[in-house]
Amino acid sequence: MNPNINYIGILNLLRQLVERGTITAAESKKIARHIAIKTGANIVIPAASF
């Protein structure tokens, strides 16, 4: 599958976890950066939307 599509799905999951208070916004950003590097996702997501 396309790594960018998978990455967007992961971002949605991270956003839900932040909204529920399971993880902090700072943690989700760290996780998102790590996953983007590991998967090779290269889509540009504005910081305001994440």
Side-chain angles (χ1 to χ4, degrees):
M1 270 199 102
N2 185 328
N4 291 330
I5 294 172
N6 291 339
Y7 183 63
I8 290 172
I10 292 167
L11 291 180
N12 287 331
L13 174 65
L14 290 171
R15 186 176 298 123
Q16 289 177 2
L17 291 173
V18 170
E19 288 173 359
R20 291 182 183 166
T22 306
I23 62 173
T24 66
E27 289 171 324
S28 78
K29 289 179 183 180
K30 281 183 179 179
I31 294 167
R33 278 192 301 263
H34 179 75
I35 291 173
I37 292 167
K38 288 290 187 181
T39 63
N42 59 5
I43 190 167
V44 176
I45 306 285
S49 67
F50 180 68

